[in-house]
């Protein structure tokens, strides 16, 4: 076997091994998407109902509270960016980072100081590589987040909104995550969690299927609306962050599945191409050997005829 054929054989073997890995990763991601979708579906009703309750409290009272009251001149904004701990997910993390960059530029142009909070090693690596200060970061749970993870992320953000941090509080809280639309579509979006916009909350309640007479029901506040808002603030932030983490996890698995399927298909095409090249090289070697045999036989026959 010629040297060129051996080279093609080694490359085919290498690509075949890579194809097995990408196919396995595709199947693993496909199985995880179903689990992640179920968690998103299970968490969304609670988050939506809590948002509706907060909206009702804010609408039915004149209490000034960080949850609903906008500052006249907001100067600081906390931005929570949710990325992935791992790669091999196409543009999943990079799209979220781009959305964070756009939001940061907009807030900076408005004269606000931006305090970044990062979830996922990809986002942390991006900021560290550029020498940017990260207020706080979390890693290790982006593939399968739990409510405890959401509480850990929400705690410093709630403290910042409540003006309970040594560095000073923030006037706004924004979150950037990847919304799971479908198996083929995942969109990086940014939302302002605090202060809660009443109009946006009403629209959100309507889009989630609440009846018009259920969007803003009448409540009696005991002992006071302020105490109710104090109790709802951490629950609201935690539920929204948890839902965002789950949607991001589902989006990440969908992006990984799509990327690994593309890699598997490309590997299959490369194997076919290398196989054709190996066959062509083998045929060339066989043709050359036949030519050498025929040429040798002809030379031998000529030599024999000359000696006669």
């Amino acid at each position: 076997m010629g040297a060129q054929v051996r080279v093609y054989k080694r490359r085919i073997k290498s690509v075949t091994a890579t194809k097995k890995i990408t196919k396995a990763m595709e199947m693993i991601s496909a199985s995880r998407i179903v689990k992640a979708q179920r968690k998103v579906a299970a968490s969304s009703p609670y988050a939506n109902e809590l948002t509706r309750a907060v909206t009702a409290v804010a609408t039915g009272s004149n209490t000034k509270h960080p949850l609903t009251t906008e500052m006249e001149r907001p100067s600081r904004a906390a931005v929570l960016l949710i990325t992935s701990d791992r790669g091999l997910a196409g543009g999943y993390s990079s799209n979220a980072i781009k959305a964070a960059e756009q939001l940061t530029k907009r807030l900076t142009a408005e004269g606000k100081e931006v305090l970044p909070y990062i979830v996922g090693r990809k986002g942390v690596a991006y900021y560290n590589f550029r020498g940017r200060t990260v207020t706080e970061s979390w890693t290790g749970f982006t593939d399968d987040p739990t409510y405890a993870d959401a509480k850990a992320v929400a705690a410093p953000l709630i403290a910042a909104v409540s003006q309970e941090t040594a560095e000073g509080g923030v006037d706004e809280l924004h979150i950037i995550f990847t919304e799971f639309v479908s198996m083929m579509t995942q969109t990086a979006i940014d939302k302002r969690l605090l202060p809660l916009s009443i109009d946006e909350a009403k629209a959100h309640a309507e889009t989630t299927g609440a009846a018009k007479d259920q969007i803003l029901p009448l409540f009696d506040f005991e002992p006071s609306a302020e105490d109710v808002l104090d109790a709802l603030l951490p629950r609201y932030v935690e539920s929204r962050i948890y839902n965002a983490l789950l949607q991001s996890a589902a989006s990440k698995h969908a992006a990984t599945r799509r990327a690994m399927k593309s890699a598997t298909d490309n590997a299959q095409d490369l194997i076919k191409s290398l196989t054709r090249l190996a066959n062509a090289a083998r045929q060339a070697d066989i043709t050359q050997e036949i030519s050498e045999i025929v040429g040798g036989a002809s030379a031998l026959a000529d030599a024999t005829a000359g000696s006669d």
Side-chain angles (χ1 to χ4, degrees), residues 82-291:
I82 299 177
T83 61
S84 175
D85 286 323
R86 307 183 195 182
L88 302 177
Y92 165 76
S93 292
S94 61
N95 290 337
I97 291 173
K98 288 178 183 177
E101 291 285 84
Q102 294 173 358
L103 176 61
T104 299
K105 289 181 180 178
R106 177 166 61 83
L107 294 175
T108 303
E110 294 173 358
K112 300 171 186 175
E113 178 188 357
V114 177
L115 278 65
Y117 294 77
I118 313 295
V119 174
R121 292 190 179 93
K122 290 298 180 179
V124 174
Y126 178 87
Y127 275 70
N128 289 342
F129 180 77
R130 287 157 179 77
R132 300 181 185 178
T133 302
V134 176
T135 307
E136 198 157 349
S137 62
W138 302 265
T139 59
F141 56 81
T142 58
D143 281 356
D144 188 18
T146 64
Y147 196 82
D149 298 323
K151 290 185 69 174
V153 174
L157 295 170
I158 295 171
V161 172
S162 303
Q163 316 289 323
E164 297 176 355
T165 58
E167 299 81 6
V170 297
D171 303 316
E172 295 179 357
L173 171 58
H174 299 259
I175 183 171
I176 297 166
F177 65 99
T178 306
E179 183 180 32
F180 184 86
V181 180
S182 67
M183 294 289 288
M184 297 302 297
T185 306
Q186 301 87 41
T187 307
I189 61 175
D190 67 88
K191 289 186 176 181
R192 192 183 75 174
L193 293 185
L194 298 173
L196 178 66
S197 173
I198 303 302
D199 293 336
E200 290 182 3
K202 289 180 182 178
H204 176 78
E206 291 174 347
T207 57
T208 53
K212 291 185 178 180
D213 58 347
Q214 294 179 338
I215 294 172
L216 295 177
L218 297 177
F219 286 104
D220 290 329
F221 308 123
E222 292 291 345
S224 67
E226 185 175 359
D227 291 333
V228 173
L229 287 173
D230 286 338
L232 288 177
L233 173 59
R235 302 292 180 269
Y236 167 75
V237 175
E238 290 167 5
S239 66
R240 280 295 161 198
I241 290 177
Y242 182 50
N243 187 263
L245 288 172
L246 292 178
Q247 292 216 42
S248 296
S251 298
K252 188 267 179 184
H253 294 316
T256 299
R257 176 184 175 276
R258 190 166 58 250
M260 291 301 98
K261 185 179 186 307
S262 178
T264 301
D265 293 342
N266 290 338
Q268 182 61 36
D269 293 340
L270 184 57
I271 290 172
K272 290 181 179 179
S273 177
L274 291 173
T275 300
R276 285 195 295 267
L277 292 173
N279 291 337
R282 186 184 301 107
Q283 291 173 358
D285 289 343
I286 293 172
T287 301
Q288 182 177 356
E289 290 177 2
I290 293 174
S291 298

